[in-house]
Structure formats: structure tokens, C-alpha cells
């Protein structure tokens, strides 16, 4: 029995590792969807730091668009007090809103991202360039920034196909994670229990993802903050799944253990939420 439980835990961990490694680049914030920005640079310098800027109402001393020395420490110090024509560097609650250059010249920010922002590039020679202001239209938005022209544009082609793809991917990945937790809780893999998990997630995850991707961010300026909305929706998901699992799931003796079922609902949703937050930073 002990070896069986150990094997079950290892299998659940394998689900997590597979999810984290296989989907990191393209759909990393879609489990319990979080707003994200994907950015690709064109005509960029060979080595640089890239920064997201946010608007502020507070007036400060203008920062010089030049650094004498460019490294991790000097850039961090520069951004701490940066201000330029009403724009500042605003560090996210999870991770940081600046990155060092890579070979692909593609970057991703997830979970807490601004609706209105500019992009700043700090080249290795100390020169600083800033893009035009943009308003993010898509919940999971992709942008192209031409450093030579300073033009930042959102890529809105094939948005309908992208949204449906994200809904499907989000649903599948959430099922993988929640089935991993299902095994940890040692529920029997009966037809009833399996269908119950699939149906519960179809009701909650698909409705939540569809709302966020199709309705919420069409007019982001008039909506509540993403973090508050997501917390409200996560509570909705937990309550609905808690009720469904309490009614539907049965143990190996064919009985309902309501306390265990509720604990499973909490653990499964906490795991999917945590993975959705952490994947962009793996």
C-alpha cells in the first residue's frame, strides 16, 4: 500500500513537471488565465535591457535618457527613480517588468501586466529609447516593437482562432493538473469520478476562460483591475467545484466523503492557480 501511494505521488509530480516544461513559452499563463504580454523586437541592438513603463500622475524630476554604465545593478538603480514625461518603471507583484536580451528577441510578462504601457530599451552603450504608448486590447496580447522607428504595435491577426485555442489549451492543462491531485487523494478511477472531474472543469474553467478572453478586455479602461477580477473568478470556480465534487465524487467503497471531496477541490484549484502564476518565471 505504501509503495502504491508513493507511485501515485510520483505520477502526480510527473504531471506537474510535464506541464511546466512542455508549455512554458507559448501558453504559460493560461491555467486559470492571467493577463499577459508577449513582445518581439525588431532592429534591436546586440545587447540590451528591455523594460515596461506605466503611466503615473505624480510629477518627478526627468531622468536622463542615458546611462554611463549598463549592467544589472546600474539598470535596477536607474529604474528605481526613473521618470520621463509622465511614465515610470512599475515593478510587478510577481517577478519584474524588465528583462535582459536573449537570442530570440522575444519576451513574455504574465499575471500582473499593465493595460497601458510603453517599452523602453536600454542598449549596452548606455543609450535609451522609448516606444509610443499602447493600450492592450487582448487579454493575452502579443506586440512587435521596432526599435529603429520606436513603433510599438499589437498583433491582432487571427484573434478569434487564438482565443479558442487558448480556451482549449487552458482546459486540457487544468485537467492534467487536477487529475494529478485526484491521484494524490487516491480517488478510485471510476467512470463516475472521471466524468465528474471533466464536467466540473468544463463548467468552471471554460466559462471563466471564455469570459476573460472574449469579453473582459475588449474595453480594459472601463473594467475592474485584473487581479481583483481573477480573485473573484477563482472564488467562483472553487465554490462551484466544491459543490459538484461534494455531490459527485465517491470513494472506493462507493460512499461520499464530503470533507475529503472539499479538500480535493481546494487542493486542485490551488495547484492549478499556482502553476498558472509560476510557469512564466520557470
Amino acid at each position: 500500500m505504501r509503495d502504491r501511494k508513493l507511485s501515485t505521488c510520483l505520477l502526480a509530480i510527473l504531471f506537474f513537471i510535464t506541464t511546466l516544461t512542455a508549455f512554458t513559452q507559448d501558453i504559460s499563463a493560461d491555467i486559470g488565465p492571467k493577463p499577459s504580454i508577449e513582445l518581439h523586437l525588431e532592429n534591436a541592438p546586440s545587447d540590451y535591457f528591455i523594460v515596461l513603463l506605466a503611466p503615473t500622475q505624480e510629477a518627478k524630476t526627468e531622468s536622463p535618457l542615458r546611462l554611463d554604465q549598463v549592467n544589472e545593478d546600474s539598470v535596477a538603480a536607474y529604474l528605481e527613480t526613473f521618470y520621463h514625461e509622465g511614465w515610470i518603471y512599475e515593478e510587478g507583484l510577481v517577478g519584474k517588468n524588465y528583462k535582459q536580451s536573449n537570442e530570440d528577441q522575444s519576451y513574455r510578462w504574465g499575471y500582473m501586466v499593465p493595460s497601458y504601457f510603453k517599452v523602453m530599451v536600454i542598449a549596452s552603450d548606455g543609450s535609451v529609447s522609448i516606444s509610443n504608448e499602447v493600450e492592450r486590447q487582448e487579454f493575452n496580447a502579443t506586440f512587435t516593437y521596432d526599435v529603429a522607428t520606436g513603433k510599438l504595435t499589437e498583433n491582432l491577426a487571427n484573434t478569434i482562432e487564438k482565443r479558442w485555442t487558448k480556451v482549449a489549451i487552458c482546459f486540457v492543462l487544468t485537467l492534467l493538473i487536477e487529475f494529478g491531485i485526484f491521484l494524490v487523494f487516491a480517488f478510485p478511477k471510476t467512470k463516475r469520478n472521471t466524468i465528474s472531474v471533466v464536467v466540473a472543469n468544463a463548467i468552471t474553467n471554460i466559462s471563466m476562460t471564455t469570459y476573460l478572453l472574449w469579453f473582459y478586455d475588449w474595453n480594459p479602461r472601463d473594467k475592474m483591475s485584473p487581479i481583483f477580477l481573477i480573485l473573484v473568478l477563482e472564488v467562483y470556480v472553487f465554490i462551484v467545484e466544491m459543490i459538484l465534487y461534494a455531490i459527485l465524487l465517491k470513494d472506493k467503497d462507493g460512499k461520499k466523503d464530503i470533507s475529503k471531496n472539499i479538500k480535493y477541490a481546494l487542493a486542485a484549484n490551488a495547484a492549478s492557480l499556482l502553476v498558472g502564476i509560476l510557469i512564466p518565471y520557470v
Side-chain angles (χ1 to χ4, degrees):
M1 180 64 70
R2 187 175 180 179
D3 291 339
R4 183 178 179 181
K5 287 185 177 180
L6 178 60
S7 299
T8 301
C9 289
L10 290 175
L11 182 59
I13 292 172
L14 180 61
F15 272 121
F16 277 86
I17 293 174
T18 301
T19 303
L20 284 168
T21 55
F23 300 102
T24 297
Q25 294 300 319
D26 295 327
I27 41 75
S28 55
D30 290 336
I31 305 172
K34 316 298 180 294
S36 64
I37 291 173
E38 294 185 16
L39 178 64
H40 178 73
L41 265 63
E42 296 179 347
N43 300 313
S46 57
D47 189 27
Y48 56 89
F49 285 83
I50 183 167
V51 184
L52 296 186
L53 300 179
T56 181
Q57 298 297 324
E58 184 180 356
K60 298 182 179 181
T61 303
E62 291 284 330
S63 299
L65 298 184
R66 181 79 190 178
L67 274 73
D68 295 330
Q69 190 178 31
V70 178
N71 55 50
E72 183 80 27
D73 292 336
S74 65
V75 168
Y78 176 69
L79 295 178
E80 186 174 347
T81 59
F82 178 82
Y83 176 86
H84 180 70
E85 297 180 352
W87 292 81
I88 60 171
Y89 165 70
E90 185 176 30
E91 188 168 0
L93 293 180
V94 180
K96 55 189 179 182
N97 285 338
Y98 74 91
K99 301 178 183 292
Q100 199 159 5
S101 58
N102 58 42
E103 292 183 359
D104 295 334
Q105 296 190 28
S106 295
Y107 309 89
R108 192 178 193 287
W109 289 266
Y111 189 55
M112 288 295 293
V113 293
S115 290
Y116 318 97
F117 66 98
K118 290 184 178 183
V119 172
M120 179 167 68
V121 170
I122 304 173
S124 57
D125 63 2
S127 60
V128 176
S129 58
I130 300 177
S131 74
N132 55 290
E133 173 189 357
V134 294
E135 177 178 347
R136 179 169 54 87
Q137 298 299 312
E138 289 294 303
F139 194 78
N140 300 118
T142 59
F143 290 85
T144 299
Y145 177 39
D146 189 330
V147 181
T149 64
K151 185 68 174 177
L152 176 65
T153 54
E154 184 170 359
N155 306 324
L156 295 173
N158 302 317
T159 55
I160 294 178
E161 292 85 348
K162 290 178 182 177
R163 288 173 181 171
W164 280 122
T165 299
K166 288 179 182 292
V167 169
I169 292 174
C170 180
F171 176 58
V172 171
L173 292 183
T174 301
L175 280 180
L176 287 176
I177 292 172
E178 297 204 5
F179 268 119
I181 304 300
F182 178 89
L183 296 177
V184 171
F185 273 74
F187 284 105
K189 297 183 285 293
T190 62
K191 182 177 180 180
R192 176 192 176 97
N193 284 349
T194 301
I195 293 176
S196 297
V197 173
V198 173
V199 170
N201 279 281
I203 293 172
T204 58
N205 186 272
I206 292 179
S207 63
M208 175 182 176
T209 308
T210 301
Y211 172 74
L212 287 173
L213 296 179
W214 285 82
F215 300 104
Y216 167 71
D217 233 18
W218 282 354
N219 296 291
R221 192 183 297 271
D222 302 324
K223 304 297 182 181
M224 68 179 74
S225 66
I227 182 62
F228 180 75
L229 175 64
I230 289 169
L231 289 175
V232 170
L233 292 175
E234 290 292 348
V235 171
Y236 147 76
V237 169
F238 169 67
I239 292 175
V240 173
E241 291 192 3
M242 178 183 66
I243 294 172
L244 291 175
Y245 291 149
I247 296 173
L248 298 174
L249 294 181
K250 292 187 176 182
D251 60 20
K252 61 183 179 181
D253 298 321
K255 298 180 180 179
K256 299 175 186 176
D257 186 337
I258 295 178
S259 176
K260 177 182 177 180
N261 294 357
I262 291 175
K263 290 177 182 177
Y264 165 67
L266 178 60
N269 281 282
S272 61
L273 175 62
L274 182 62
V275 172
I277 293 172
L278 292 181
I279 290 178
Y281 308 101
V282 173

